[in-house]
Amino acid sequence: MPKTARLTECTEWIDLEFVERERTPREIIEKGIRHHLAGLSLSNTVILLEELGVDRSRVAVHNWVQKADLQPADGEDPDRVAVDQKAIRINDEQYWLYAAVDPQTNRILHSRLFPTYTIPIAREFLTELAEKHDVEDALFLVDDADDLIGGLRRENYSYRVEQHGFRNSVERVFREVERRTSSFSNCFSHVDPPTAETWLQAHAVWWNHA
Protein backbone atom coordinates (compact mmCIF):
# COMPACT_ATOMS: atom_id res chain seq x y z
CA MET A 1 0.00 0.00 0.00
CA PRO A 2 1.44 3.44 -0.88
CA LYS A 3 2.42 5.53 2.10
CA THR A 4 0.19 8.34 0.87
CA ALA A 5 -2.82 6.12 1.50
CA ARG A 6 -2.32 6.88 5.20
CA LEU A 7 -3.06 10.55 4.52
CA THR A 8 -6.84 10.31 4.40
CA GLU A 9 -7.83 12.96 6.94
CA CYS A 10 -10.24 15.60 5.65
CA THR A 11 -9.32 19.14 6.65
CA GLU A 12 -12.15 21.28 5.36
CA TRP A 13 -10.90 24.41 7.13
CA ILE A 14 -7.78 24.54 4.95
CA ASP A 15 -8.46 26.32 1.65
CA LEU A 16 -6.20 24.69 -0.90
CA GLU A 17 -7.17 26.57 -4.04
CA PHE A 18 -3.48 27.24 -4.59
CA VAL A 19 -2.81 23.49 -4.90
CA GLU A 20 -3.45 23.59 -8.64
CA ARG A 21 -0.07 25.27 -8.96
CA GLU A 22 1.66 22.79 -6.64
CA ARG A 23 3.30 19.50 -7.53
CA THR A 24 2.54 18.05 -4.08
CA PRO A 25 -0.69 16.06 -3.55
CA ARG A 26 -3.43 17.89 -1.66
CA GLU A 27 -3.50 15.33 1.17
CA ILE A 28 0.19 15.81 1.90
CA ILE A 29 -0.07 19.60 1.93
CA GLU A 30 -2.97 19.35 4.41
CA LYS A 31 -0.91 17.02 6.58
CA GLY A 32 2.07 19.37 6.56
CA ILE A 33 0.04 22.49 7.35
CA ARG A 34 -1.96 20.84 10.09
CA HIS A 35 1.02 19.32 11.91
CA HIS A 36 3.13 22.46 11.64
CA LEU A 37 0.36 24.64 13.08
CA ALA A 38 -0.34 22.04 15.78
CA GLY A 39 3.18 22.16 17.14
CA LEU A 40 5.83 20.68 14.85
CA SER A 41 8.71 22.88 13.80
CA LEU A 42 9.35 23.25 10.09
CA SER A 43 12.28 20.83 10.37
CA ASN A 44 10.23 18.19 12.17
CA THR A 45 7.37 18.61 9.71
CA VAL A 46 9.83 17.89 6.89
CA ILE A 47 10.95 14.74 8.75
CA LEU A 48 7.32 13.65 9.13
CA LEU A 49 6.74 14.04 5.40
CA GLU A 50 9.97 12.16 4.63
CA GLU A 51 8.66 9.24 6.72
CA LEU A 52 5.62 9.27 4.46
CA GLY A 53 7.78 9.11 1.36
CA VAL A 54 7.59 12.79 0.45
CA ASP A 55 10.72 14.94 0.10
CA ARG A 56 9.93 18.61 0.64
CA SER A 57 11.95 21.48 2.12
CA ARG A 58 11.28 23.69 5.13
CA VAL A 59 10.69 26.56 2.70
CA ALA A 60 8.01 24.52 0.89
CA VAL A 61 6.10 23.85 4.13
CA HIS A 62 6.42 27.51 5.13
CA ASN A 63 5.07 28.58 1.74
CA TRP A 64 2.09 26.23 2.04
CA VAL A 65 1.00 28.00 5.23
CA GLN A 66 1.49 31.41 3.64
CA LYS A 67 -0.34 30.55 0.42
CA ALA A 68 -3.30 28.99 2.24
CA ASP A 69 -3.93 32.45 3.78
CA LEU A 70 -6.02 31.04 6.64
CA GLN A 71 -8.27 33.46 8.52
CA PRO A 72 -10.69 32.86 11.43
CA ALA A 73 -14.25 32.58 10.10
CA ASP A 74 -16.61 35.57 10.25
CA GLY A 75 -20.20 35.81 11.42
CA GLU A 76 -20.10 35.01 15.15
CA ASP A 77 -22.55 36.61 17.60
CA PRO A 78 -20.90 36.26 21.04
CA ASP A 79 -22.42 37.40 24.35
CA ARG A 80 -18.95 38.08 25.77
CA VAL A 81 -15.61 38.84 24.17
CA ALA A 82 -12.30 38.55 26.00
CA VAL A 83 -9.67 40.90 24.56
CA ASP A 84 -5.99 41.33 25.30
CA GLN A 85 -2.62 42.10 23.76
CA LYS A 86 0.79 40.50 24.19
CA ALA A 87 4.34 41.34 23.13
CA ILE A 88 5.70 39.21 20.27
CA ARG A 89 9.32 39.40 19.10
CA ILE A 90 10.07 39.35 15.39
CA ASN A 91 13.78 39.19 14.78
CA ASP A 92 15.10 41.87 17.17
CA GLU A 93 11.99 44.05 17.27
CA GLN A 94 8.94 43.93 19.50
CA TYR A 95 5.39 43.83 18.14
CA TRP A 96 2.02 43.44 19.81
CA LEU A 97 -0.46 40.68 19.12
CA TYR A 98 -4.06 41.71 19.76
CA ALA A 99 -6.63 38.93 20.10
CA ALA A 100 -10.35 38.63 20.76
CA VAL A 101 -11.77 35.31 22.01
CA ASP A 102 -15.29 34.07 22.64
CA PRO A 103 -14.93 32.68 26.21
CA GLN A 104 -17.96 30.41 25.80
CA THR A 105 -16.46 28.54 22.86
CA ASN A 106 -12.74 29.40 23.26
CA ARG A 107 -12.71 30.32 19.56
CA ILE A 108 -10.46 33.11 18.38
CA LEU A 109 -12.65 35.74 16.74
CA HIS A 110 -9.93 38.03 15.45
CA SER A 111 -6.19 38.57 15.81
CA ARG A 112 -3.83 41.20 14.47
CA LEU A 113 -0.19 42.13 14.85
CA PHE A 114 0.72 45.79 15.41
CA PRO A 115 4.06 47.59 15.88
CA THR A 116 2.89 49.19 19.14
CA TYR A 117 -0.08 49.41 21.49
CA THR A 118 -2.07 52.63 21.77
CA ILE A 119 -5.70 53.69 22.04
CA PRO A 120 -5.92 54.36 18.25
CA ILE A 121 -4.47 50.91 17.59
CA ALA A 122 -7.00 49.34 19.97
CA ARG A 123 -9.81 51.19 18.19
CA GLU A 124 -8.58 49.95 14.83
CA PHE A 125 -8.55 46.39 16.15
CA LEU A 126 -12.07 46.73 17.59
CA THR A 127 -13.35 48.21 14.32
CA GLU A 128 -11.98 45.25 12.39
CA LEU A 129 -13.53 42.87 14.92
CA ALA A 130 -16.93 44.56 14.51
CA GLU A 131 -16.66 44.25 10.72
CA LYS A 132 -16.28 40.48 11.07
CA HIS A 133 -18.64 39.70 13.94
CA ASP A 134 -21.78 41.03 15.63
CA VAL A 135 -20.30 42.41 18.85
CA GLU A 136 -22.42 45.53 19.29
CA ASP A 137 -24.25 44.11 22.31
CA ALA A 138 -21.41 41.98 23.64
CA LEU A 139 -19.77 42.53 27.03
CA PHE A 140 -16.03 42.94 26.58
CA LEU A 141 -13.76 41.45 29.24
CA VAL A 142 -10.43 43.20 29.63
CA ASP A 143 -7.63 43.54 32.16
CA ASP A 144 -6.37 46.97 33.22
CA ALA A 145 -4.67 47.73 29.86
CA ASP A 146 -5.14 51.46 29.22
CA ASP A 147 -5.13 51.12 25.42
CA LEU A 148 -7.95 48.57 25.33
CA ILE A 149 -10.03 50.32 27.96
CA GLY A 150 -9.60 53.62 26.14
CA GLY A 151 -10.50 52.02 22.82
CA LEU A 152 -13.60 50.35 24.25
CA ARG A 153 -14.78 53.60 25.80
CA ARG A 154 -14.33 55.58 22.60
CA GLU A 155 -16.12 52.91 20.57
CA ASN A 156 -18.94 52.91 23.16
CA TYR A 157 -18.68 49.20 23.99
CA SER A 158 -19.75 47.74 27.31
CA TYR A 159 -16.80 46.29 29.17
CA ARG A 160 -15.79 44.86 32.52
CA VAL A 161 -12.31 44.72 34.02
CA GLU A 162 -11.67 41.10 34.90
CA GLN A 163 -8.37 39.45 35.75
CA HIS A 164 -9.53 35.82 35.74
CA GLY A 165 -12.79 33.98 35.10
CA PHE A 166 -13.93 34.28 31.49
CA ARG A 167 -10.72 36.11 30.55
CA ASN A 168 -8.81 32.85 31.04
CA SER A 169 -9.81 31.91 27.50
CA VAL A 170 -7.70 34.63 25.90
CA GLU A 171 -4.85 33.90 28.31
CA ARG A 172 -4.86 30.27 27.10
CA VAL A 173 -4.52 31.51 23.54
CA PHE A 174 -1.48 33.61 24.42
CA ARG A 175 0.08 30.76 26.41
CA GLU A 176 -0.19 28.53 23.34
CA VAL A 177 1.35 31.20 21.09
CA GLU A 178 4.15 31.65 23.63
CA ARG A 179 4.71 27.90 23.76
CA ARG A 180 5.03 27.73 19.98
CA THR A 181 7.35 30.71 19.64
CA SER A 182 9.56 29.70 22.56
CA SER A 183 9.74 26.02 21.65
CA PHE A 184 10.89 26.85 18.12
CA SER A 185 12.96 29.95 18.61
CA ASN A 186 13.48 30.43 14.88
CA CYS A 187 9.73 30.65 14.24
CA PHE A 188 9.77 34.43 13.79
CA SER A 189 13.39 34.87 12.79
CA HIS A 190 14.31 36.05 9.31
CA VAL A 191 10.70 36.90 8.43
CA ASP A 192 8.87 40.19 8.02
CA PRO A 193 5.89 41.16 10.21
CA PRO A 194 3.23 40.35 7.55
CA THR A 195 4.66 36.84 7.24
CA ALA A 196 4.56 36.37 11.01
CA GLU A 197 1.00 37.71 11.12
CA THR A 198 -0.10 35.25 8.44
CA TRP A 199 1.29 32.39 10.53
CA LEU A 200 -0.42 33.68 13.69
CA GLN A 201 -3.78 33.94 11.92
CA ALA A 202 -3.34 30.46 10.46
CA HIS A 203 -2.54 29.19 13.94
CA ALA A 204 -5.79 30.81 15.14
CA VAL A 205 -7.73 28.83 12.54
CA TRP A 206 -6.05 25.60 13.69
CA TRP A 207 -6.87 26.52 17.31
CA ASN A 208 -10.54 26.99 16.43
CA HIS A 209 -10.72 23.53 14.84
CA ALA A 210 -8.43 21.59 17.18
Side-chain angles (χ1 to χ4, degrees):
M1 178 183 296
K3 288 185 178 181
T4 54
R6 296 162 54 188
L7 303 177
T8 58
E9 301 94 333
C10 178
T11 314
E12 296 180 354
W13 51 270
I14 300 178
D15 182 2
L16 294 179
E17 290 183 359
F18 69 89
V19 169
E20 295 180 359
R21 303 186 298 275
E22 292 285 336
R23 61 189 177 92
T24 308
R26 176 183 297 265
E27 295 84 359
I28 293 175
I29 294 176
E30 288 181 344
K31 187 92 169 181
I33 292 174
R34 186 174 62 254
H35 280 75
H36 175 51
L37 295 178
L40 288 185
S41 65
L42 290 172
S43 296
N44 286 336
T45 303
V46 167
I47 292 172
L48 171 68
L49 297 180
E50 287 175 349
E51 292 174 350
L52 296 168
V54 179
D55 184 15
R56 294 294 180 270
S57 67
R58 296 169 70 254
V59 172
V61 176
H62 167 82
N63 288 341
W64 293 344
V65 175
Q66 295 293 311
K67 291 177 181 178
D69 192 25
L70 299 171
Q71 301 279 341
D74 299 355
E76 300 289 339
D77 183 16
D79 294 326
R80 296 181 178 87
V81 179
V83 291
D84 206 348
Q85 30 87 333
K86 181 177 179 61
I88 297 290
R89 295 202 67 81
I90 301 177
N91 298 316
D92 293 326
E93 297 183 14
Q94 185 163 278
Y95 287 76
W96 293 88
L97 174 65
Y98 280 71
V101 176
D102 182 344
Q104 293 183 309
T105 64
N106 286 324
R107 291 172 64 86
I108 299 172
L109 301 172
H110 186 46
S111 66
R112 274 290 310 278
L113 197 63
F114 293 99
T116 185
Y117 64 100
T118 63
I119 290 176
I121 289 290
R123 295 185 69 183
E124 180 179 346
F125 175 76
L126 293 169
T127 298
E128 293 176 354
L129 174 67
E131 291 172 349
K132 299 179 65 175
H133 305 286
D134 184 2
V135 296
E136 183 178 357
D137 297 323
L139 175 65
F140 283 80
L141 307 174
V142 64
D143 62 10
D144 56 357
D146 292 339
D147 58 318
L148 284 168
I149 291 176
L152 289 165
R153 285 176 175 169
R154 296 189 186 185
E155 294 298 320
N156 295 316
Y157 286 119
S158 299
Y159 71 91
R160 183 173 71 215
V161 176
E162 185 172 296
Q163 299 294 339
H164 302 290
F166 282 112
R167 277 201 71 261
N168 287 338
S169 57
V170 74
E171 292 296 338
R172 282 193 292 271
V173 168
F174 285 133
R175 282 198 296 270
E176 174 63 16
V177 169
E178 187 173 35
R179 181 188 72 81
R180 288 291 281 115
T181 56
S182 63
S183 296
F184 310 115
S185 58
N186 65 342
C187 185
F188 293 134
S189 295
H190 311 298
V191 299
D192 56 22
T195 299
E197 183 171 59
T198 297
W199 186 93
L200 287 164
Q201 291 175 340
H203 185 264
V205 176
W206 169 83
W207 173 276
N208 288 349
H209 291 84

